[in-house]
């Protein structure tokens, strides 16, 4: 029997960029994508997932193209509920495709892959003392990024370049700004960035570029043999 994979996302996340990595070891028909908010009416999202006082929000892309700030606590609660349902359907691997970190998520039977628990130590071992420059699509994500990359020997530098509305010129300019600050490895840390963005930066700037969604997809593919 072929291995089965469930890809779980918070908002709208195109997975086309990572599918070739996954289908090296698993038939596309054995992969199911589930989005918590992706099919919801945006107004319902804002009402049902309103941020509580003092809470650091989760940023999620909605089906109308808006990036919503929603409650981390409520998203984590409902992600766990969905994981519980998926886990009873005999999937071998559940891949949470998100650059946000949530606490308390678990699966009893399937292997649950949470990128935010895997990627930071993996990147830390890869860069091994080099100066990392991180590019994110929104300035509001930088606060969470500082917490995320505490394992790195050198605190990263940050620049913003939208993965949706931004141009190639904007992305290259963000990379150049990070190199000017002293970065010698770049990290594209958003699910909206694809291999074409990584290739663009590597060609334009001649610098190693890591892409978080590709790293986690390769890890997932190793579990699908």
């Amino acid at each position: 029997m072929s291995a089965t994979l469930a890809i779980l996302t918070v908002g709208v996340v195109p997975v086309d960029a990572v599918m070739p990595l996954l289908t090296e070891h698993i038939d596309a028909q054995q992969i199911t994508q589930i989005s918590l908010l992706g099919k919801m009416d945006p107004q319902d999202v804002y009402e049902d997932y309103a941020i509580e006082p003092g809470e650091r929000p989760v940023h999620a892309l909605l089906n109308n193209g808006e990036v919503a700030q929603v409650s981390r606590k409520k998203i984590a609660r409902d992600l766990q509920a969905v994981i519980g349902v998926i886990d009873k359907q005999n999937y071998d691997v559940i891949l949470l495709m998100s650059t946000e970190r949530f606490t308390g998520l678990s699966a009893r039977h399937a292997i649950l892959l949470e990128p935010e628990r895997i990627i930071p130590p993996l990147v830390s071992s890869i860069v091994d003392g080099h100066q990392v420059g991180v590019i994110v699509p929104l300035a509001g994500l930088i606060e969470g990024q500082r917490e995320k990359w505490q394992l790195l020997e050198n605190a990263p530098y940050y620049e913003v370049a939208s993965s949706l509305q931004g141009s190639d010129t904007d992305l290259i300019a963000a990379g150049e700004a990070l190199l000017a600050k002293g970065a010698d490895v770049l990290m594209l840390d958003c699910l909206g960035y694809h291999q074409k963005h990584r290739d663009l930066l590597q060609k334009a700037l001649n610098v190693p570029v890591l892409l978080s969604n590709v790293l986690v997809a390769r890890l997932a593919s190793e579990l699908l043999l």
Side-chain angles (χ1 to χ4, degrees):
M1 182 183 296
S2 299
T4 52
L5 168 68
I7 299 175
L8 176 58
T9 67
V10 176
V12 176
V13 177
V15 298
D16 294 349
V18 299
M19 282 297 284
L21 300 174
L22 298 172
T23 53
E24 289 179 3
H25 305 297
I26 182 174
D27 190 286
Q29 294 182 346
Q30 299 297 109
I31 301 175
T32 301
Q33 182 182 0
I34 303 162
S35 176
L36 183 63
L37 309 180
K39 295 183 179 179
M40 288 184 64
D41 181 278
Q43 187 58 41
D44 291 338
V45 172
Y46 288 115
E47 292 175 1
D48 295 350
Y49 294 93
I51 302 168
E52 298 181 357
E55 187 178 27
R56 181 162 61 86
V58 169
H59 293 77
L61 180 63
L62 305 184
N63 56 36
N64 63 352
E66 294 179 2
V67 177
Q69 295 188 33
V70 292
S71 167
R72 184 174 300 272
K73 179 180 178 180
K74 295 172 185 174
I75 291 293
R77 175 199 66 196
D78 290 353
L79 281 176
Q80 181 57 56
V82 173
I83 290 169
V85 172
I86 298 172
D87 199 29
K88 295 177 181 178
Q89 296 176 0
N90 297 319
Y91 282 94
D92 296 294
V93 178
I94 301 172
L95 171 57
L96 176 62
M97 290 285 285
S98 173
T99 54
E100 302 278 358
R101 183 161 189 172
F102 303 97
T103 58
L105 301 183
S106 63
R108 295 184 62 185
H109 306 292
I111 297 173
L112 176 62
L113 291 182
E114 298 178 71
E116 295 313 284
R117 295 182 181 276
I118 298 169
I119 296 300
L122 176 62
V123 171
S124 179
S125 66
I126 291 172
V127 300
D128 191 25
H130 287 270
Q131 179 61 58
V132 176
V134 178
I135 300 177
V136 292
L138 299 167
L141 296 174
I142 293 178
E143 178 184 353
Q145 288 279 320
R146 292 196 176 101
E147 177 182 343
K148 173 178 179 176
W149 298 113
Q150 291 181 11
L151 286 175
L152 294 180
E153 182 177 335
N154 302 314
Y157 301 126
Y158 299 95
E159 288 290 335
V160 177
S162 174
S163 57
L164 297 175
Q165 288 83 30
S167 65
D168 290 352
T169 301
D170 295 334
L171 186 61
I172 292 173
E176 289 175 334
L178 290 169
L179 296 185
K181 293 177 182 178
D184 56 3
V185 177
L186 300 183
M187 161 66 77
L188 291 169
D189 198 26
C190 171
L191 297 178
Y193 296 127
H194 302 312
Q195 294 194 68
K196 64 179 182 181
H197 298 115
R198 182 190 64 184
D199 294 344
L200 173 71
L201 284 176
Q202 288 186 162
K203 183 177 180 180
L205 304 178
N206 192 30
V207 63
V209 181
L210 301 175
L211 185 58
S212 57
N213 57 2
V214 167
L215 290 174
V216 74
R218 290 195 182 281
L219 287 171
S221 70
E222 293 299 316
L223 296 172
L224 298 172
L225 295 174

